[in-house]
Amino acid sequence: MSRLLFWIALACLVVAAVRSKLRQAAKRHQQMEQPEQREQIRPQPNRARAEAAANAETMLCCAHCGVYFPASENVPAGGRDYCSAAHAQLSPQ
Ligand SMILES: [Zn+2]
């Protein structure tokens, strides 16, 4: 009797494994069918990257708190870069 239960349990596991594999394959198939839709949603990646690079600003690291901030907001003091006048007055850590 226990042998029969073992074979039934094994059959159930095999069926579950095959089903999950089929589901994965179906998902992959769907993803392969839809790349055109994704391209329509996203703008051209090269153009977006070029725009981002053009808009990018150099980032500096504050000598006191370590925060990165735009170079246009830099408060230089003693040859170091600070994110604010308050941190420029405090000693670097
Ligand atoms: Zn700071």
Side-chain angles (χ1 to χ4, degrees):
M1 185 63 188
S2 61
R3 248 187 202 178
L4 182 67
L5 289 175
F6 169 76
W7 285 112
I8 290 172
L10 188 66
C12 287
L13 284 175
V14 168
V15 167
V18 168
R19 275 183 143 187
S20 83
K21 283 281 173 196
L22 285 175
R23 220 172 287 151
Q24 283 178 357
K27 237 184 221 176
R28 231 175 279 151
H29 188 70
Q30 269 185 346
Q31 286 173 352
M32 285 176 72
E33 278 184 352
Q34 295 175 340
E36 295 161 14
Q37 292 176 352
R38 279 193 211 150
E39 283 175 16
Q40 288 173 353
I41 293 167
R42 276 190 213 160
Q44 294 168 344
N46 288 341
R47 189 177 163 194
R49 218 173 277 162
E51 282 178 17
N55 295 334
E57 190 173 350
T58 304
M59 300 297 280
L60 298 172
C61 182
C62 177
H64 180 74
C65 63
V67 156
Y68 284 87
F69 57 94
S72 61
E73 298 174 15
N74 185 25
V75 181
R80 292 173 184 255
D81 302 320
Y82 295 93
C83 65
S84 62
H87 282 183
Q89 289 173 353
L90 297 168
S91 64
Q93 287 180 341

